[in-house]
Amino acid sequence: MKIVVYVSGNGSNLQAIIDSIKNGVIKGEIALVVSNKANAYGLERAAQNNIPTMVKTLKSYKDQGKSRVEYDVDLAKEVLQKLGREPDLQVLAGFMHILSADFLNHFKNPIINLHPALPGAFDGAHAIERAFEAYTKGEIQYTGVMVHRVIPEVDRGAVVLQEQIPIQEQDTLESLETKIHAVEHQLLVKAIVKLIQ
Ligand code: GRF
């Protein structure tokens, strides 16, 4: 079971996957970690665990006058080349780049994304901040986390798993973020187990 994980930053969700493979909960291996940021700490986590990494920045394409589509196509091709076959599962774990159909069309196996909000609630970036702001305005009482299949429309693919998280009076943006990340680490692992079973 070959898994490819995509990150852009800290990689705490990547770490949750690494830990769950080590303790036998996820029966598979991370064949490659891809980052679109050269300084993502997730790359360090991969290296510490002897996992191959690939850095590919959109900026390097833009600097050469190349398009996002060219980036997406090359990324798909390089992943396929590096593995020698299609990965069984690809996981976007804090990958801050919207993958177009030009990437997705290269694969038939599942590609999933982790999003720190409930389906249809706060699509796109800064979902936790936007949920907290909505709470302070009295518009919502809870938010959540979802793992969904990736389709060209951002944060809108079929939901694999979701979990509600109540926002409480004593919550601050920081405490809500901490709660959400803790749920993410568990939900993402559960979703991977569900998909590879
Ligand atoms: C997570 O909150 C994820 O849902 C969001 O980016 C964050 C990534 O965290 N899209 P990490 O890099 O896994 O620590």
Side-chain angles (χ1 to χ4, degrees), residues 139-164:
E139 293 165 5
I140 58 167
Q141 294 302 312
Y142 58 86
T143 180
V145 171
M146 70 163 157
V147 177
H148 65 93
R149 300 288 280 257
V150 176
I151 59 170
E153 214 181 343
V154 181
D155 298 329
R156 284 296 167 109
V159 174
V160 180
L161 283 177
Q162 60 180 305
E163 189 168 325
Q164 277 191 9

Side-chain angles (χ1 to χ4, degrees), residues 15-27:
Q15 190 66 54
I17 302 171
I18 292 172
D19 294 345
S20 300
I21 289 173
K22 278 191 187 156
N23 64 29
V25 171
I26 294 175
K27 296 185 187 1

Side-chain angles (χ1 to χ4, degrees), residues 9-14 93-96 114-116 128 180-181 184-185:
N10 180 18
S12 65
N13 286 285
L14 166 66
F95 187 56
M96 304 306 283
L114 173 68
H115 184 61
I128 306 176
I180 286 182
H181 293 319
E184 282 187 325
H185 299 157

Side-chain angles (χ1 to χ4, degrees), residues 40-160:
Y41 185 63
L43 291 167
E44 194 87 2
R45 296 180 193 267
Q48 280 164 11
N49 289 278
N50 302 312
I51 299 168
T53 57
M54 182 199 289
V55 175
K56 198 171 177 65
T57 68
L58 182 59
K59 189 176 180 303
S60 64
Y61 274 62
K62 292 257 165 89
D63 288 350
Q64 294 173 59
K66 291 188 189 168
S67 70
R68 267 187 106 88
V69 169
E70 285 173 282
Y71 174 89
D72 282 7
V73 169
D74 287 353
L75 179 60
K77 285 184 178 163
E78 282 169 41
V79 167
L80 287 166
Q81 193 181 28
K82 204 136 192 169
L83 265 73
R85 68 167 173 90
E86 179 173 354
D88 298 292
L89 175 66
Q90 300 193 74
V91 181
L92 312 185
F95 187 56
M96 304 306 283
H97 171 87
I98 297 168
L99 290 165
S100 63
D102 302 284
F103 173 89
L104 301 172
N105 289 341
H106 284 81
F107 305 101
K108 59 174 176 32
N109 292 335
I111 304 175
I112 57 173
N113 178 50
L114 173 68
H115 184 61
L118 292 171
F122 299 99
D123 295 342
H126 309 297
I128 306 176
E129 286 92 327
R130 282 152 57 214
F132 190 70
E133 199 185 315
Y135 170 79
T136 57
K137 288 184 186 156
E139 293 165 5
I140 58 167
Q141 294 302 312
Y142 58 86
T143 180
V145 171
M146 70 163 157
V147 177
H148 65 93
R149 300 288 280 257
V150 176
I151 59 170
E153 214 181 343
V154 181
D155 298 329
R156 284 296 167 109
V159 174
V160 180

